[in-house]
Amino acid sequence: MKKTVLLAILTILCINYSSSAQLFKKKNKSKKEQAAKPSVKKGGIKKYNEVITKDAKTDEGLFHVHKIADDYFYEIPFSTLGKDMLWVSRISQIPNGLGGGYVNAGSKTNEQVVHWKRFQDKILIKVKSYNNVADSTKAISNSVQVNNYEPTLFAFDIKAFNTDSTAAVINVTDFFEQDILAISGLPSSLRKRYKVRKLDKARSFINSAKSFPENIEVKQDFTYEAAEPPSQASTGSISLQMNQSMILLPEKPMQPRLYDPRVGFFTVSQYDFGSDELKADRKTYIRRWRLEPKDSEAYARGELVEPVKPIVYYLDPGTPENLQKYIKQGIEDWQKPFETAGFKNAIIAKDAPTPEEDPDFSPEDIRYSVVRYVASTTRNAVGPSVSDPRSGEIIESDIIWYHNHLRSYRNRYLLETGAANPSARTLNTPDEEIGEMMRMVIAHEVGHALGFPHNMAASYSYPVESYRDGAFTQKNGIAASIMDYARYNYIAQPGDENIRFIRQMGPYDHYAVNWGYRRILDADSPEAERSTLNKWILEKDGDAKYKFGRQSSRFDPQSQAECIGDDPIAASDYGLKNLKYVANNLVEWTSGQTNNYEDLEELYGELLSVYSRYVGHVANNIGGVYENIKTPEQEGYIYTHLDKKSQQESMSWLHKNIFETPKWLVDKDILQNIDHAGHFEKVRRLQTRYLNSILSFDRIGRLIDAETINNEYYSALQMMQELSKGIWGEVDKKSNVDLYRRNLQRSYIERMAYLMTNEASKSRYSRPGFESTLFYNVETSDVRPLVRGELNRLSRKIRTAKNSGVNTITKYHYEDILARIDDLLEPNK
């Protein structure tokens, strides 16, 4: 019995043990199975065919681009990770009025270098800078890297690997449908102006994505909610289309060419921390296209050789038919300067292909450089470009021509040349002459796109009298470079024969193209080119036709916008003589022909601007400093103050031509037909503009500074005394003061108050070539004592003059002036 019970107990224990063991094994087996199964998070890496399904529409190129329903996928080869790519964001379509006229279809909104990088199961877009560099073989390159950490523009989850695991697939839909400021068409300033609230995702989508061998082009449609949109306000929206271009930069960058400020080029700069200099060495390279001869041996022999890859510009399909030939001529005018550099057919103009010829052609595609014709009322043209920051190689550019710009050229043609040029005395300028103007504007803008900034000294290289010589002007035009702001010959006088009135290419353009683009075949580094480049400059040393003048007209009378000839006083004398002739005939040439006053009003307003420019050219002689950039091996100083006599003559000219009332501008046949009032204010504004310009901290500071070099120069005290004597001439004569002069004299007191109480600007322009303003401590300078002294001297003279029998309004005027001076000099009295 006991044995039976014991056996039963043992049997039960064995069964329980077996059950427990089996349960334990099942649990362990489950855990092992879980451990063996890969950890896959929701939406993680899947098989290729589960992501890129049979429904995918694939575009092969730099990356495979797949479209599945409304989603877009990039298949990124691992071989492209880490490679530099240029990302350019550009507006493709734009609402009317956005940006105030200077933003348009084709406008670039950002340009940045990116590269793709894998981090664990993600692909990152990193934004790369070449501001700070170092040779990767040097230890300091590690420091450069960790002290210039690259921002991540976006992080993508890897959705799959391709079948041979050589590429990762990511979904880019969310990236391109988000409002990412770095690639947006609406910068913060415009968002603030139009009170943009947010991107409306329901009305925003990817329009297309196309892949080519070296670039990918994506078009996005964006609609933003905005309280104050620039047009169609009732919609409360701003819609625009963006184009995102990403192009693979050359594996081997173009050999850079070192910049020399004696020849004008746009530039890129880097700080080289691996330099042997005892500092981070700033290296600046010129921006230029990569032109390489097809036949190097023939090129070395001095033969003209075609480039491997010419510069090609396509015409916008929307270009008016009657203007197309002039645009092409303006582009190809640069062929001759490139021949000077040894290249033939280096730059070519083409019609845009039709959709049948190339269905993928798009003006925004970074493979194409296009002259964009913009249906806009803006009056301008621009020539921007994008370049490789590693070398300065220009990758692409778009010339922008705004439709209404020809109107400006017609108006100025009439105003500046009408006296000596009978064909300009009309509102219907001959087509060939309008076409020639457009051709030269396009050539100017193409020059910018080739790397050339304005050369404001090019028009100073010709003597004033040569502009009246027909043979000279036909051969040389009106400036030594198309890159000057010298549009018309306003010096030629009635009766002068065979005059060229419109600008053209000049000798500097050939010189600059040769200097920047000629290949130096035996130089294998930028440094190895230095001696040859310097030799080319020295060969032209002293010849004004080859001088480069920065756009710094605040101080250099040689480098002024819209100025022609080597003597601003003589040139402006001729210009004003012609302008008075035009003013006398303006009614006949406008409203007398059209039977309305619209053109008369427009042209009279522009006539005032032309007059103002002529005055400004002379005003810049006051406190003028010549800038002649040179190296120590060249003779002379870089900076030289204008001589005293020339400045005094300029002051006398200003008194005669602007501070003494220019009554020829007050023509009742014009004024009483274009506005009911405000006539005296037009004159006051003009006079005050140049009064304030002369009495500026900057100009007075330069005159004070000149005394440190030579006390025989024109001094600030002499300038202020001569200015005061002319403006307050009625005080010395004890004569009555008319309306215009009373306005001018009160403006003088306002400006003196400004000098007495304000400070000079605290920051320079950040734009290269504009660093012209002088900064100094006004409180400790001579400025305040000069102002106080001149006001005290004036006060004493006015107290006598107001009791000398002048009329009532003059007396009231003098009493007001005395009160203003007292309030300024003794505010607490």
Side-chain angles (χ1 to χ4, degrees), residues 425-491:
R425 301 168 189 169
T426 176
L427 298 176
N428 298 308
T429 311
D431 290 344
E432 282 299 315
E433 292 174 46
I434 283 287
E436 180 69 4
M437 296 173 209
M438 184 176 201
R439 171 183 178 177
M440 292 303 131
V441 180
I442 292 295
H444 177 95
E445 301 305 336
V446 169
H448 286 319
L450 295 174
F452 302 118
H454 292 133
N455 178 4
M456 294 308 188
S459 56
Y460 197 85
S461 60
Y462 297 156
V464 167
E465 292 302 323
S466 66
Y467 289 87
R468 301 189 61 189
D469 183 330
F472 181 91
T473 59
Q474 291 297 337
K475 178 182 178 181
N476 300 287
I478 59 176
S481 173
I482 194 71
M483 301 314 298
D484 200 329
Y485 267 175
R487 302 172 205 269
Y488 297 116
N489 181 351
Y490 59 78
I491 289 173

Side-chain angles (χ1 to χ4, degrees), residues 37 61 124 156 191 245 248 252 266 278 292 302 307 315 337 357 401 433 592 632 652 711 725 738 793 817:
K37 187 176 180 180
L124 313 178
F156 304 87
R191 292 168 190 254
S245 297
L248 183 68
K252 182 180 180 181
F266 294 124
L278 299 178
E292 298 169 332
L315 266 62
E357 293 169 331
W401 175 277
E433 292 174 46
S652 297
N711 58 15
K725 182 179 179 180
D738 70 16
R793 188 167 68 90
I817 293 295

Side-chain angles (χ1 to χ4, degrees), residues 742-753:
R742 294 197 299 270
N743 290 340
L744 174 62
Q745 289 171 1
R746 282 189 282 269
S747 294
Y748 173 90
I749 298 300
E750 284 187 358
R751 189 60 180 180
M752 295 293 268

Side-chain angles (χ1 to χ4, degrees), residues 739-810:
L739 169 66
Y740 298 102
R741 295 281 288 180
R742 294 197 299 270
N743 290 340
L744 174 62
Q745 289 171 1
R746 282 189 282 269
S747 294
Y748 173 90
I749 298 300
E750 284 187 358
R751 189 60 180 180
M752 295 293 268
Y754 172 85
L755 294 174
M756 196 70 182
T757 59
N758 282 265
E759 291 293 333
S761 301
K762 298 297 183 185
S763 61
R764 288 180 180 270
Y765 289 97
S766 60
R767 194 170 160 196
F770 288 76
E771 316 89 336
S772 59
T773 304
L774 173 66
F775 299 96
Y776 58 98
N777 189 320
V778 172
E779 284 290 346
T780 61
S781 75
D782 280 345
V783 172
R784 310 283 202 234
L786 284 168
V787 172
R788 187 180 299 276
E790 283 301 297
L791 289 177
N792 276 323
R793 188 167 68 90
L794 178 62
S795 178
R796 292 192 296 271
K797 293 169 71 173
I798 289 177
R799 291 184 193 281
T800 301
K802 77 182 181 71
N803 298 316
S804 60
V806 295
N807 62 16
T808 302
I809 189 63
T810 299

Side-chain angles (χ1 to χ4, degrees), residues 553-557 560 569 615-625 641-654 659 690 693-696 698-700 702-703 714-716 718-720 722-723:
S553 58
R554 282 176 175 267
F555 70 85
D556 187 356
Q560 300 196 67
I569 292 178
V615 172
H617 298 155
V618 178
N620 280 342
N621 278 344
I622 309 296
V625 180
H641 294 275
L642 191 63
D643 65 277
K644 180 177 180 179
K645 181 183 177 184
S646 296
Q647 294 193 58
Q648 288 180 310
E649 289 174 350
S650 299
M651 182 63 78
S652 297
W653 190 95
L654 292 169
F659 296 139
Y690 290 103
S693 173
I694 292 169
L695 290 176
S696 67
D698 180 41
R699 200 180 303 270
I700 295 170
R702 292 200 302 272
L703 289 168
Y714 197 45
S715 69
Q718 289 172 309
M719 181 276 284
M720 294 184 78
E722 291 181 9
L723 179 65

